[in-house]
Amino acid sequence: PSSHEAYTLAALQAGKPVYVEKPMSMDPSSCERMVAAATAASVKLSVAHYRRAMPLFVKVKQLLEAGEIGEVRCVNLQLMQTPNLPAAVLPTANWRVDPAVSGGGLFHDLSPHQLDLMYFYFGQVESARGYSANRAHFNTADDTVSGQIVFANGVIFQGLWCFSVSPDAVKDSCEILGATGMIRFSFFGNDLRLVKDAADQIFNIEHPKHVQQPFIAQVVDYFLDKGPNPCSGDDAFEVMKIMDAFTGH
């Protein structure tokens, strides 16, 4: 992430369309500069929030839009992981836990996937706030983050991330609670369940062999003027603002 802005600006100045990894950059101000540069150069910019196009997460969006669980009330997300020793201990061995390179810790690496999908599903954010801390001190990055979002449509989100739990506490779960049912899925597995009318429907949806391929196909169409931008810099900027609101950066 620490190199995303410089390379993006150089490519844009050379007239090259840009596909930049997530998180888009280190902070919202950097994202704004990247978007402004793309606009000024009249060059296309897309951000790699590729889970938007993966079949499992497309299915979640379809279930929501079909009203399968009625009006959505709230969302509960939890991601708990054990420390990835020894790589997580030494920032030199793992850039993801070196804030000078990644912008934070594993939260900055993994939560963009999750928070972008929440934005993709529920739209404009009305308010966001949170708290983060380095509880285990395995490295210099915060390993525990909590956050709440109120979306403009009234949906309330709460999330908790911890990257220093015991193996017994490992968890990857998102529950979307509606007026008439619930959708439960994992972000980094392939579990998807629809619970309604006292029944539990399980969807077996495998992830693509190359996880970014469906999304990159959409990006290529966008670059060739054959389709819309599947994730704009403005979208990624909104996700970065949520991350900053949670971590207080």
mmCIF file with all atom_site columns, all heavy atoms in Angstrom, residues 141-164:
data_model
loop_
_atom_site.group_PDB
_atom_site.id
_atom_site.type_symbol
_atom_site.label_atom_id
_atom_site.label_alt_id
_atom_site.label_comp_id
_atom_site.label_asym_id
_atom_site.label_entity_id
_atom_site.label_seq_id
_atom_site.pdbx_PDB_ins_code
_atom_site.Cartn_x
_atom_site.Cartn_y
_atom_site.Cartn_z
_atom_site.occupancy
_atom_site.B_iso_or_equiv
_atom_site.pdbx_formal_charge
_atom_site.auth_seq_id
_atom_site.auth_comp_id
_atom_site.auth_asym_id
_atom_site.auth_atom_id
_atom_site.pdbx_PDB_model_num
ATOM 1   N N   . ALA A 1 141 ? 1.986   -3.285  15.069 1.00 0.00 ? 141 ALA A N   1
ATOM 2   C CA  . ALA A 1 141 ? 0.653   -3.009  14.507 1.00 0.00 ? 141 ALA A CA  1
ATOM 3   C C   . ALA A 1 141 ? -0.443  -3.386  15.501 1.00 0.00 ? 141 ALA A C   1
ATOM 4   O O   . ALA A 1 141 ? -0.305  -4.337  16.280 1.00 0.00 ? 141 ALA A O   1
ATOM 5   C CB  . ALA A 1 141 ? 0.463   -3.797  13.214 1.00 0.00 ? 141 ALA A CB  1
ATOM 6   N N   . ASP A 1 142 ? -1.556  -2.661  15.450 1.00 0.00 ? 142 ASP A N   1
ATOM 7   C CA  . ASP A 1 142 ? -2.725  -3.037  16.243 1.00 0.00 ? 142 ASP A CA  1
ATOM 8   C C   . ASP A 1 142 ? -3.235  -4.392  15.777 1.00 0.00 ? 142 ASP A C   1
ATOM 9   O O   . ASP A 1 142 ? -3.316  -4.658  14.577 1.00 0.00 ? 142 ASP A O   1
ATOM 10  C CB  . ASP A 1 142 ? -3.835  -1.993  16.094 1.00 0.00 ? 142 ASP A CB  1
ATOM 11  C CG  . ASP A 1 142 ? -3.522  -0.709  16.854 1.00 0.00 ? 142 ASP A CG  1
ATOM 12  O OD1 . ASP A 1 142 ? -2.505  -0.674  17.568 1.00 0.00 ? 142 ASP A OD1 1
ATOM 13  O OD2 . ASP A 1 142 ? -4.294  0.257   16.710 1.00 0.00 ? 142 ASP A OD2 1
ATOM 14  N N   . ASP A 1 143 ? -3.567  -5.251  16.741 1.00 0.00 ? 143 ASP A N   1
ATOM 15  C CA  . ASP A 1 143 ? -4.057  -6.590  16.398 1.00 0.00 ? 143 ASP A CA  1
ATOM 16  C C   . ASP A 1 143 ? -5.528  -6.792  16.715 1.00 0.00 ? 143 ASP A C   1
ATOM 17  O O   . ASP A 1 143 ? -6.098  -7.843  16.413 1.00 0.00 ? 143 ASP A O   1
ATOM 18  C CB  . ASP A 1 143 ? -3.229  -7.678  17.092 1.00 0.00 ? 143 ASP A CB  1
ATOM 19  C CG  . ASP A 1 143 ? -3.222  -7.532  18.608 1.00 0.00 ? 143 ASP A CG  1
ATOM 20  O OD1 . ASP A 1 143 ? -4.153  -6.914  19.165 1.00 0.00 ? 143 ASP A OD1 1
ATOM 21  O OD2 . ASP A 1 143 ? -2.277  -8.037  19.238 1.00 0.00 ? 143 ASP A OD2 1
ATOM 22  N N   . THR A 1 144 ? -6.166  -5.775  17.314 1.00 0.00 ? 144 THR A N   1
ATOM 23  C CA  . THR A 1 144 ? -7.575  -5.886  17.688 1.00 0.00 ? 144 THR A CA  1
ATOM 24  C C   . THR A 1 144 ? -8.305  -4.619  17.277 1.00 0.00 ? 144 THR A C   1
ATOM 25  O O   . THR A 1 144 ? -7.859  -3.514  17.595 1.00 0.00 ? 144 THR A O   1
ATOM 26  C CB  . THR A 1 144 ? -7.722  -6.094  19.207 1.00 0.00 ? 144 THR A CB  1
ATOM 27  O OG1 . THR A 1 144 ? -6.955  -7.239  19.601 1.00 0.00 ? 144 THR A OG1 1
ATOM 28  C CG2 . THR A 1 144 ? -9.178  -6.304  19.587 1.00 0.00 ? 144 THR A CG2 1
ATOM 29  N N   . VAL A 1 145 ? -9.409  -4.765  16.552 1.00 0.00 ? 145 VAL A N   1
ATOM 30  C CA  . VAL A 1 145 ? -10.176 -3.627  16.051 1.00 0.00 ? 145 VAL A CA  1
ATOM 31  C C   . VAL A 1 145 ? -11.661 -3.910  16.211 1.00 0.00 ? 145 VAL A C   1
ATOM 32  O O   . VAL A 1 145 ? -12.125 -5.021  15.922 1.00 0.00 ? 145 VAL A O   1
ATOM 33  C CB  . VAL A 1 145 ? -9.868  -3.362  14.556 1.00 0.00 ? 145 VAL A CB  1
ATOM 34  C CG1 . VAL A 1 145 ? -10.693 -2.185  14.032 1.00 0.00 ? 145 VAL A CG1 1
ATOM 35  C CG2 . VAL A 1 145 ? -8.383  -3.111  14.335 1.00 0.00 ? 145 VAL A CG2 1
ATOM 36  N N   . SER A 1 146 ? -12.391 -2.936  16.683 1.00 0.00 ? 146 SER A N   1
ATOM 37  C CA  . SER A 1 146 ? -13.855 -3.026  16.693 1.00 0.00 ? 146 SER A CA  1
ATOM 38  C C   . SER A 1 146 ? -14.416 -1.814  15.982 1.00 0.00 ? 146 SER A C   1
ATOM 39  O O   . SER A 1 146 ? -13.799 -0.747  15.962 1.00 0.00 ? 146 SER A O   1
ATOM 40  C CB  . SER A 1 146 ? -14.403 -3.083  18.127 1.00 0.00 ? 146 SER A CB  1
ATOM 41  O OG  . SER A 1 146 ? -14.165 -1.853  18.797 1.00 0.00 ? 146 SER A OG  1
ATOM 42  N N   . GLY A 1 147 ? -15.575 -1.973  15.356 1.00 0.00 ? 147 GLY A N   1
ATOM 43  C CA  . GLY A 1 147 ? -16.153 -0.856  14.632 1.00 0.00 ? 147 GLY A CA  1
ATOM 44  C C   . GLY A 1 147 ? -17.644 -0.988  14.430 1.00 0.00 ? 147 GLY A C   1
ATOM 45  O O   . GLY A 1 147 ? -18.179 -2.100  14.391 1.00 0.00 ? 147 GLY A O   1
ATOM 46  N N   . GLN A 1 148 ? -18.296 0.162   14.320 1.00 0.00 ? 148 GLN A N   1
ATOM 47  C CA  . GLN A 1 148 ? -19.731 0.212   14.061 1.00 0.00 ? 148 GLN A CA  1
ATOM 48  C C   . GLN A 1 148 ? -20.000 1.158   12.887 1.00 0.00 ? 148 GLN A C   1
ATOM 49  O O   . GLN A 1 148 ? -19.350 2.192   12.758 1.00 0.00 ? 148 GLN A O   1
ATOM 50  C CB  . GLN A 1 148 ? -20.505 0.705   15.290 1.00 0.00 ? 148 GLN A CB  1
ATOM 51  C CG  . GLN A 1 148 ? -20.410 -0.192  16.508 1.00 0.00 ? 148 GLN A CG  1
ATOM 52  C CD  . GLN A 1 148 ? -19.108 -0.017  17.271 1.00 0.00 ? 148 GLN A CD  1
ATOM 53  O OE1 . GLN A 1 148 ? -18.643 1.108   17.439 1.00 0.00 ? 148 GLN A OE1 1
ATOM 54  N NE2 . GLN A 1 148 ? -18.531 -1.115  17.721 1.00 0.00 ? 148 GLN A NE2 1
ATOM 55  N N   . ILE A 1 149 ? -20.960 0.765   12.065 1.00 0.00 ? 149 ILE A N   1
ATOM 56  C CA  . ILE A 1 149 ? -21.396 1.594   10.940 1.00 0.00 ? 149 ILE A CA  1
ATOM 57  C C   . ILE A 1 149 ? -22.903 1.733   10.994 1.00 0.00 ? 149 ILE A C   1
ATOM 58  O O   . ILE A 1 149 ? -23.606 0.755   11.257 1.00 0.00 ? 149 ILE A O   1
ATOM 59  C CB  . ILE A 1 149 ? -21.021 0.963   9.576  1.00 0.00 ? 149 ILE A CB  1
ATOM 60  C CG1 . ILE A 1 149 ? -19.520 0.712   9.458  1.00 0.00 ? 149 ILE A CG1 1
ATOM 61  C CG2 . ILE A 1 149 ? -21.493 1.852   8.419  1.00 0.00 ? 149 ILE A CG2 1
ATOM 62  C CD1 . ILE A 1 149 ? -19.150 -0.126  8.241  1.00 0.00 ? 149 ILE A CD1 1
ATOM 63  N N   . VAL A 1 150 ? -23.383 2.928   10.724 1.00 0.00 ? 150 VAL A N   1
ATOM 64  C CA  . VAL A 1 150 ? -24.802 3.139   10.445 1.00 0.00 ? 150 VAL A CA  1
ATOM 65  C C   . VAL A 1 150 ? -24.885 3.544   8.974  1.00 0.00 ? 150 VAL A C   1
ATOM 66  O O   . VAL A 1 150 ? -24.310 4.563   8.568  1.00 0.00 ? 150 VAL A O   1
ATOM 67  C CB  . VAL A 1 150 ? -25.421 4.227   11.332 1.00 0.00 ? 150 VAL A CB  1
ATOM 68  C CG1 . VAL A 1 150 ? -26.890 4.440   10.946 1.00 0.00 ? 150 VAL A CG1 1
ATOM 69  C CG2 . VAL A 1 150 ? -25.297 3.855   12.808 1.00 0.00 ? 150 VAL A CG2 1
ATOM 70  N N   . PHE A 1 151 ? -25.549 2.717   8.175  1.00 0.00 ? 151 PHE A N   1
ATOM 71  C CA  . PHE A 1 151 ? -25.719 3.027   6.762  1.00 0.00 ? 151 PHE A CA  1
ATOM 72  C C   . PHE A 1 151 ? -26.912 3.966   6.577  1.00 0.00 ? 151 PHE A C   1
ATOM 73  O O   . PHE A 1 151 ? -27.814 4.025   7.422  1.00 0.00 ? 151 PHE A O   1
ATOM 74  C CB  . PHE A 1 151 ? -25.921 1.745   5.961  1.00 0.00 ? 151 PHE A CB  1
ATOM 75  C CG  . PHE A 1 151 ? -24.679 0.895   5.844  1.00 0.00 ? 151 PHE A CG  1
ATOM 76  C CD1 . PHE A 1 151 ? -24.414 -0.101  6.763  1.00 0.00 ? 151 PHE A CD1 1
ATOM 77  C CD2 . PHE A 1 151 ? -23.770 1.121   4.817  1.00 0.00 ? 151 PHE A CD2 1
ATOM 78  C CE1 . PHE A 1 151 ? -23.270 -0.874  6.669  1.00 0.00 ? 151 PHE A CE1 1
ATOM 79  C CE2 . PHE A 1 151 ? -22.617 0.360   4.715  1.00 0.00 ? 151 PHE A CE2 1
ATOM 80  C CZ  . PHE A 1 151 ? -22.361 -0.642  5.643  1.00 0.00 ? 151 PHE A CZ  1
ATOM 81  N N   . ALA A 1 152 ? -26.907 4.689   5.477  1.00 0.00 ? 152 ALA A N   1
ATOM 82  C CA  . ALA A 1 152 ? -27.977 5.662   5.217  1.00 0.00 ? 152 ALA A CA  1
ATOM 83  C C   . ALA A 1 152 ? -29.341 4.997   5.144  1.00 0.00 ? 152 ALA A C   1
ATOM 84  O O   . ALA A 1 152 ? -30.360 5.627   5.431  1.00 0.00 ? 152 ALA A O   1
ATOM 85  C CB  . ALA A 1 152 ? -27.678 6.427   3.929  1.00 0.00 ? 152 ALA A CB  1
ATOM 86  N N   . ASN A 1 153 ? -29.372 3.713   4.771  1.00 0.00 ? 153 ASN A N   1
ATOM 87  C CA  . ASN A 1 153 ? -30.654 3.007   4.695  1.00 0.00 ? 153 ASN A CA  1
ATOM 88  C C   . ASN A 1 153 ? -31.103 2.454   6.039  1.00 0.00 ? 153 ASN A C   1
ATOM 89  O O   . ASN A 1 153 ? -32.125 1.762   6.121  1.00 0.00 ? 153 ASN A O   1
ATOM 90  C CB  . ASN A 1 153 ? -30.581 1.880   3.660  1.00 0.00 ? 153 ASN A CB  1
ATOM 91  C CG  . ASN A 1 153 ? -29.541 0.833   4.003  1.00 0.00 ? 153 ASN A CG  1
ATOM 92  O OD1 . ASN A 1 153 ? -28.956 0.837   5.083  1.00 0.00 ? 153 ASN A OD1 1
ATOM 93  N ND2 . ASN A 1 153 ? -29.299 -0.086  3.081  1.00 0.00 ? 153 ASN A ND2 1
ATOM 94  N N   . GLY A 1 154 ? -30.355 2.743   7.101  1.00 0.00 ? 154 GLY A N   1
ATOM 95  C CA  . GLY A 1 154 ? -30.751 2.325   8.447  1.00 0.00 ? 154 GLY A CA  1
ATOM 96  C C   . GLY A 1 154 ? -30.100 1.057   8.950  1.00 0.00 ? 154 GLY A C   1
ATOM 97  O O   . GLY A 1 154 ? -30.196 0.739   10.138 1.00 0.00 ? 154 GLY A O   1
ATOM 98  N N   . VAL A 1 155 ? -29.432 0.299   8.079  1.00 0.00 ? 155 VAL A N   1
ATOM 99  C CA  . VAL A 1 155 ? -28.764 -0.930  8.501  1.00 0.00 ? 155 VAL A CA  1
ATOM 100 C C   . VAL A 1 155 ? -27.639 -0.592  9.474  1.00 0.00 ? 155 VAL A C   1
ATOM 101 O O   . VAL A 1 155 ? -26.841 0.319   9.234  1.00 0.00 ? 155 VAL A O   1
ATOM 102 C CB  . VAL A 1 155 ? -28.206 -1.707  7.293  1.00 0.00 ? 155 VAL A CB  1
ATOM 103 C CG1 . VAL A 1 155 ? -27.371 -2.901  7.759  1.00 0.00 ? 155 VAL A CG1 1
ATOM 104 C CG2 . VAL A 1 155 ? -29.342 -2.173  6.395  1.00 0.00 ? 155 VAL A CG2 1
ATOM 105 N N   . ILE A 1 156 ? -27.570 -1.334  10.584 1.00 0.00 ? 156 ILE A N   1
ATOM 106 C CA  . ILE A 1 156 ? -26.533 -1.137  11.587 1.00 0.00 ? 156 ILE A CA  1
ATOM 107 C C   . ILE A 1 156 ? -25.555 -2.300  11.518 1.00 0.00 ? 156 ILE A C   1
ATOM 108 O O   . ILE A 1 156 ? -25.955 -3.467  11.550 1.00 0.00 ? 156 ILE A O   1
ATOM 109 C CB  . ILE A 1 156 ? -27.141 -1.026  12.999 1.00 0.00 ? 156 ILE A CB  1
ATOM 110 C CG1 . ILE A 1 156 ? -28.024 0.221   13.091 1.00 0.00 ? 156 ILE A CG1 1
ATOM 111 C CG2 . ILE A 1 156 ? -26.044 -0.990  14.061 1.00 0.00 ? 156 ILE A CG2 1
ATOM 112 C CD1 . ILE A 1 156 ? -28.774 0.347   14.399 1.00 0.00 ? 156 ILE A CD1 1
ATOM 113 N N   . PHE A 1 157 ? -24.271 -1.980  11.428 1.00 0.00 ? 157 PHE A N   1
ATOM 114 C CA  . PHE A 1 157 ? -23.207 -2.975  11.311 1.00 0.00 ? 157 PHE A CA  1
ATOM 115 C C   . PHE A 1 157 ? -22.319 -2.902  12.535 1.00 0.00 ? 157 PHE A C   1
ATOM 116 O O   . PHE A 1 157 ? -21.994 -1.818  13.020 1.00 0.00 ? 157 PHE A O   1
ATOM 117 C CB  . PHE A 1 157 ? -22.380 -2.687  10.060 1.00 0.00 ? 157 PHE A CB  1
ATOM 118 C CG  . PHE A 1 157 ? -21.059 -3.419  10.002 1.00 0.00 ? 157 PHE A CG  1
ATOM 119 C CD1 . PHE A 1 157 ? -20.948 -4.625  9.329  1.00 0.00 ? 157 PHE A CD1 1
ATOM 120 C CD2 . PHE A 1 157 ? -19.926 -2.890  10.625 1.00 0.00 ? 157 PHE A CD2 1
ATOM 121 C CE1 . PHE A 1 157 ? -19.736 -5.300  9.270  1.00 0.00 ? 157 PHE A CE1 1
ATOM 122 C CE2 . PHE A 1 157 ? -18.710 -3.551  10.565 1.00 0.00 ? 157 PHE A CE2 1
ATOM 123 C CZ  . PHE A 1 157 ? -18.615 -4.763  9.889  1.00 0.00 ? 157 PHE A CZ  1
ATOM 124 N N   . GLN A 1 158 ? -21.913 -4.079  13.034 1.00 0.00 ? 158 GLN A N   1
ATOM 125 C CA  . GLN A 1 158 ? -20.873 -4.108  14.047 1.00 0.00 ? 158 GLN A CA  1
ATOM 126 C C   . GLN A 1 158 ? -19.862 -5.188  13.683 1.00 0.00 ? 158 GLN A C   1
ATOM 127 O O   . GLN A 1 158 ? -20.228 -6.275  13.241 1.00 0.00 ? 158 GLN A O   1
ATOM 128 C CB  . GLN A 1 158 ? -21.445 -4.362  15.442 1.00 0.00 ? 158 GLN A CB  1
ATOM 129 C CG  . GLN A 1 158 ? -22.148 -5.697  15.638 1.00 0.00 ? 158 GLN A CG  1
ATOM 130 C CD  . GLN A 1 158 ? -22.617 -5.879  17.075 1.00 0.00 ? 158 GLN A CD  1
ATOM 131 O OE1 . GLN A 1 158 ? -22.549 -4.953  17.884 1.00 0.00 ? 158 GLN A OE1 1
ATOM 132 N NE2 . GLN A 1 158 ? -23.064 -7.074  17.403 1.00 0.00 ? 158 GLN A NE2 1
ATOM 133 N N   . GLY A 1 159 ? -18.582 -4.860  13.840 1.00 0.00 ? 159 GLY A N   1
ATOM 134 C CA  . GLY A 1 159 ? -17.535 -5.798  13.481 1.00 0.00 ? 159 GLY A CA  1
ATOM 135 C C   . GLY A 1 159 ? -16.475 -5.886  14.550 1.00 0.00 ? 159 GLY A C   1
ATOM 136 O O   . GLY A 1 159 ? -16.220 -4.911  15.268 1.00 0.00 ? 159 GLY A O   1
ATOM 137 N N   . LEU A 1 160 ? -15.866 -7.061  14.662 1.00 0.00 ? 160 LEU A N   1
ATOM 138 C CA  . LEU A 1 160 ? -14.781 -7.267  15.610 1.00 0.00 ? 160 LEU A CA  1
ATOM 139 C C   . LEU A 1 160 ? -13.715 -8.120  14.941 1.00 0.00 ? 160 LEU A C   1
ATOM 140 O O   . LEU A 1 160 ? -14.015 -9.192  14.392 1.00 0.00 ? 160 LEU A O   1
ATOM 141 C CB  . LEU A 1 160 ? -15.294 -7.960  16.871 1.00 0.00 ? 160 LEU A CB  1
ATOM 142 C CG  . LEU A 1 160 ? -14.256 -8.233  17.960 1.00 0.00 ? 160 LEU A CG  1
ATOM 143 C CD1 . LEU A 1 160 ? -13.661 -6.921  18.481 1.00 0.00 ? 160 LEU A CD1 1
ATOM 144 C CD2 . LEU A 1 160 ? -14.878 -9.019  19.107 1.00 0.00 ? 160 LEU A CD2 1
ATOM 145 N N   . TRP A 1 161 ? -12.476 -7.638  14.983 1.00 0.00 ? 161 TRP A N   1
ATOM 146 C CA  . TRP A 1 161 ? -11.329 -8.339  14.410 1.00 0.00 ? 161 TRP A CA  1
ATOM 147 C C   . TRP A 1 161 ? -10.282 -8.523  15.498 1.00 0.00 ? 161 TRP A C   1
ATOM 148 O O   . TRP A 1 161 ? -9.967  -7.576  16.224 1.00 0.00 ? 161 TRP A O   1
ATOM 149 C CB  . TRP A 1 161 ? -10.699 -7.528  13.277 1.00 0.00 ? 161 TRP A CB  1
ATOM 150 C CG  . TRP A 1 161 ? -11.535 -7.324  12.066 1.00 0.00 ? 161 TRP A CG  1
ATOM 151 C CD1 . TRP A 1 161 ? -11.454 -7.996  10.869 1.00 0.00 ? 161 TRP A CD1 1
ATOM 152 C CD2 . TRP A 1 161 ? -12.580 -6.345  11.877 1.00 0.00 ? 161 TRP A CD2 1
ATOM 153 N NE1 . TRP A 1 161 ? -12.373 -7.507  9.967  1.00 0.00 ? 161 TRP A NE1 1
ATOM 154 C CE2 . TRP A 1 161 ? -13.080 -6.499  10.566 1.00 0.00 ? 161 TRP A CE2 1
ATOM 155 C CE3 . TRP A 1 161 ? -13.136 -5.361  12.711 1.00 0.00 ? 161 TRP A CE3 1
ATOM 156 C CZ2 . TRP A 1 161 ? -14.095 -5.704  10.060 1.00 0.00 ? 161 TRP A CZ2 1
ATOM 157 C CZ3 . TRP A 1 161 ? -14.154 -4.573  12.211 1.00 0.00 ? 161 TRP A CZ3 1
ATOM 158 C CH2 . TRP A 1 161 ? -14.631 -4.744  10.897 1.00 0.00 ? 161 TRP A CH2 1
ATOM 159 N N   . CYS A 1 162 ? -9.729  -9.720  15.617 1.00 0.00 ? 162 CYS A N   1
ATOM 160 C CA  . CYS A 1 162 ? -8.610  -9.935  16.525 1.00 0.00 ? 162 CYS A CA  1
ATOM 161 C C   . CYS A 1 162 ? -7.673  -10.959 15.896 1.00 0.00 ? 162 CYS A C   1
ATOM 162 O O   . CYS A 1 162 ? -8.124  -12.037 15.471 1.00 0.00 ? 162 CYS A O   1
ATOM 163 C CB  . CYS A 1 162 ? -9.087  -10.410 17.902 1.00 0.00 ? 162 CYS A CB  1
ATOM 164 S SG  . CYS A 1 162 ? -7.738  -10.486 19.104 1.00 0.00 ? 162 CYS A SG  1
ATOM 165 N N   . PHE A 1 163 ? -6.401  -10.623 15.843 1.00 0.00 ? 163 PHE A N   1
ATOM 166 C CA  . PHE A 1 163 ? -5.413  -11.468 15.181 1.00 0.00 ? 163 PHE A CA  1
ATOM 167 C C   . PHE A 1 163 ? -4.404  -12.046 16.167 1.00 0.00 ? 163 PHE A C   1
ATOM 168 O O   . PHE A 1 163 ? -3.276  -12.361 15.798 1.00 0.00 ? 163 PHE A O   1
ATOM 169 C CB  . PHE A 1 163 ? -4.713  -10.657 14.085 1.00 0.00 ? 163 PHE A CB  1
ATOM 170 C CG  . PHE A 1 163 ? -5.669  -10.118 13.062 1.00 0.00 ? 163 PHE A CG  1
ATOM 171 C CD1 . PHE A 1 163 ? -6.102  -8.799  13.116 1.00 0.00 ? 163 PHE A CD1 1
ATOM 172 C CD2 . PHE A 1 163 ? -6.183  -10.937 12.071 1.00 0.00 ? 163 PHE A CD2 1
ATOM 173 C CE1 . PHE A 1 163 ? -7.008  -8.299  12.189 1.00 0.00 ? 163 PHE A CE1 1
ATOM 174 C CE2 . PHE A 1 163 ? -7.091  -10.449 11.138 1.00 0.00 ? 163 PHE A CE2 1
ATOM 175 C CZ  . PHE A 1 163 ? -7.497  -9.134  11.200 1.00 0.00 ? 163 PHE A CZ  1
ATOM 176 N N   . SER A 1 164 ? -4.852  -12.232 17.420 1.00 0.00 ? 164 SER A N   1
ATOM 177 C CA  . SER A 1 164 ? -3.967  -12.801 18.430 1.00 0.00 ? 164 SER A CA  1
ATOM 178 C C   . SER A 1 164 ? -4.730  -13.720 19.386 1.00 0.00 ? 164 SER A C   1
ATOM 179 O O   . SER A 1 164 ? -4.453  -13.760 20.574 1.00 0.00 ? 164 SER A O   1
ATOM 180 C CB  . SER A 1 164 ? -3.262  -11.681 19.217 1.00 0.00 ? 164 SER A CB  1
ATOM 181 O OG  . SER A 1 164 ? -4.210  -10.823 19.837 1.00 0.00 ? 164 SER A OG  1
#
